[in-house]
Amino acid sequence: GFQFVAAYCLLFALLGFLLVETHVPVFAQGRAPITGYGAAGGMMKLPPVQVVMLLSVARIATNAGWVAFFPLFLVEHGTPASLAGTVISVVGLASAANSTMAASYARRGGIPKVIAIFTLAGSFGVSLSPVLVALPWAYIPALAVGASQGVTLPLLLTMLSQHTAGQLRGVAMGMR
């Protein structure tokens, strides 16, 4: 199981090192073309882009780690495997339901504030996980993690697109 996934990831990591940098020119006003890694490096100097990248890593790591290990933790503490799987399903449902509300939340609170609140909610859900191991209580961290995932993704992408030039958005999204 995990060996296959690890080998698959390693294969694509190695293929990434074999890629040749492409030079699709992006023209800024009165400047020489900015391409490839140069464009990415330039964008990484922008504080909003740095924040988006940092929070993207945090949300991906939180979700990947929690979704992979919390069901195992529940099973170790006596939850049947079939029910432990429903906890992860709740993450997806909460994510889908909250992603439809992300724009509404952002209009009311502002994008950075809403991202911070929902990132905190996801962290709170993860921190409650070791304590809430009995059903139905285990659904509470799942709801928090799912809500966090559903709201932060569209808002981080929005924030990234708002702080990068139109010609560089493809590079910015690729960096993320």
Side-chain angles (χ1 to χ4, degrees):
F2 283 113
Q3 291 92 357
F4 174 76
V5 174
Y8 187 75
C9 292
L10 181 61
L11 172 69
F12 280 95
L14 293 174
L15 287 175
F17 287 115
L18 297 175
L19 292 176
V20 178
E21 182 170 350
T22 59
H23 292 279
V24 179
V26 178
F27 296 96
Q29 295 176 354
R31 294 186 184 163
I34 302 170
T35 61
Y37 294 120
M43 280 187 285
M44 283 304 297
K45 294 177 184 173
L46 302 171
V49 174
Q50 293 171 354
V51 168
V52 168
M53 297 305 161
L54 180 64
L55 290 175
S56 293
V57 168
R59 77 175 288 286
I60 291 167
T62 299
N63 188 54
W66 191 84
V67 168
F69 295 107
F70 191 57
L72 300 173
F73 186 73
L74 290 175
V75 170
E76 283 183 354
H77 285 82
T79 302
S82 58
L83 290 177
T86 65
V87 174
I88 300 309
S89 297
V90 168
V91 173
L93 292 172
S95 178
N98 279 281
S99 67
T100 63
M101 300 298 297
S104 174
Y105 298 151
R107 277 192 296 276
R108 283 188 249 151
I111 291 175
K113 184 177 179 181
V114 172
I115 290 171
I117 289 168
F118 277 88
T119 300
L120 184 61
S123 299
F124 186 65
V126 171
S127 67
L128 285 176
S129 297
V131 179
L132 301 176
V133 294
L135 294 180
W137 304 112
Y139 292 112
I140 293 171
L143 288 168
V145 170
S148 175
Q149 295 297 304
V151 172
T152 57
L153 176 62
L155 295 185
L156 284 169
L157 294 175
T158 300
M159 189 172 165
L160 185 61
S161 67
Q162 288 175 345
H163 293 283
T164 54
Q167 315 94 306
L168 297 174
R169 284 197 189 118
V171 174
M173 295 297 169
M175 288 169 37
R176 198 199 147 281

